Amino acid sequence: MNQTTLLTNSRSYYRRFYRLVVIAVIIMMAVITGSLLLGDSVRGTLTDRVNERLGKTETIITSGTGFMSDEIMNSPILAKAKGYLLVDGFMSVNDKLIPIYIWGSDEIAYGQSEINEPLAKKASISKDNLEGQSIIVHLPSHSLVPSGSLFVTKSYATQMRLEINGVRDIKHGGNLLLKNEQTLPLNVFVCREELCEMMEIDSKINVILSEERVSDEQIAEIWNPSISGISLTDTTLTSERIFIQDEIVKSLNPDVRYFSYLVNDITTDRDTVPYSFVSAMTEWNGTSLSGNDIILADYTAKRLNVNKGDQVEMSYFISDDLKSLKTTARTFVVKDIIPLDDIRKDKLLMTEFPGLSNVETCTDWDSDLPINMDRIKKIDEDYWYDYKQTPKAIVAYDAVIDDWGNSFGTATALKGNWKQTEAGSLIDPKALITTVSPRESGLYAAKHGTDFSSLFMALGFFIILSAILLIQNPLLEMFALRKNEIDLYRQLGFKSKDIKLLLSREAFSVMLLASPIGIIAGILYSGITLWLLGNVWSGATHTEGFALHIDPLTVIIGWAVGIFICAVSLQYIIGKQIKEKS
């Protein structure tokens, strides 16, 4: 009998032990290879997400919470760029409002829309049967002013009914997303002109996506204040977003700074004037205001029955990091009393807050503030009818700016003695427009973030350890039963190394035959795990649609590691048995 026949007969005779070895090898190979493939697949999916959400974009130019005039798109620097008006919105799906991104694009016709594939799937809309299908999107009604500012509500009362003209796939930018997130966005692409009309912000964009690299210096060359909604003359500066950034205020160092605010009460021990617009100023008609100085309109002084030198208390809301709202109060000393008509002459004192200024009555105010409408009397409504948001008082700027200012700005108007062109050159565009090259950072984060291969390997460590023990136990039991066989080999003249080689060939060939099955099982294991991560466990991973990436090198490495473990385990067991018998 030759060795081949001997090995075949031995494997057949001890097949009940080798079945367990085969199962153990398959499990071990599956976990090792699957873990490595899972790591590759997660990294590959994250990389795909970066390319999907950016498309051909190399540079993102955004105005943050503000807007840009679309005239900036006429520059040759942006010849390979597209401007969008991007706003958050909602859409009703199965009687539930789901958040969506609304992209105002010049590529979409008036009254039409395109949705991306994730939204089509979410809303059960078939791209093969779009005829007669339409959607209703809910979008903000006030957006020129940053929605996080204290007096502005983010109302979604405005709606658009749009016919669905197509489903935009990944190749055509359907999954555009500016945030560095792995969740698939729900996008609706609409006509930018129509979106501007609905939001009453004509000819505006807030995002530019360029296929070329664009630097901050290039943007500075084509930028001017009007692009960012800044109205600049030789003596004044105002912004359509109401608040003027602190960087701009400091760079211009104006003679007079203004900040308008809605206060809860102006109070004395005799009477109270509720809910009044008040302006903070650094000076009034050449007279500096500091400390606890307050100037009252004659209307206010009459209602409160106060004179110069008297004290009044003013209470108002303040917000800590725009999260928690509380009421505070401050005492002021009346420095002067002036005619209300004099206040009306300075238009910079009267700031137009959407939802507050453009209404007929006080009770029509639309604000997130907890305003008690029952406190508003006929005399207050009469004032509003005649004077609207004309301030009833002027206070020292330095006294209140720490309370009234916010991250969006520290002034609502500026006045100075400057040349318009010189003042414009002092404003840094980077305070209003941000330029980002996102692809490199996104790809780096996707490829060099968490080592998912090691993570999944660690999660499967005890399974691998159990598989190794499952390999060893049946082999140990089998070789223990073959004690007489090993003694016979010795009596026949076999040396220890020859016996080790013979037994190794017998067992290792079984392991080699089982290893391809383990590789296939590993691919299936990784595929199933990815499906679970993207569907059943998507709430934990915040990522959908994981794709299986099979790298031949990874498969070879997984196979080699598994075979190495098998060989080491086998040699340890056989060496132990031969040593015990010697």
Side-chain angles (χ1 to χ4, degrees), residues 367-378:
S367 172
D368 286 337
L369 294 175
I371 297 175
N372 183 0
M373 295 299 177
D374 293 336
R375 299 186 61 225
I376 298 174
K377 303 174 184 178
K378 184 179 184 301

Side-chain angles (χ1 to χ4, degrees), residues 243 259 261 319 322 400-411:
F243 302 108
F259 201 103
Y261 210 76
S319 177
L322 301 177
V400 295
I401 193 57
D402 289 340
D403 288 341
W404 293 5
N406 56 59
S407 59
F408 304 113
T410 55

Side-chain angles (χ1 to χ4, degrees), residues 1-19:
M1 180 185 295
N2 57 35
Q3 282 194 15
T4 301
T5 304
L6 176 63
L7 294 177
T8 302
N9 291 338
S10 293
R11 285 193 292 266
S12 176
Y13 184 79
Y14 294 107
R15 58 182 176 274
R16 64 187 181 93
F17 296 102
Y18 282 123
R19 285 196 194 101

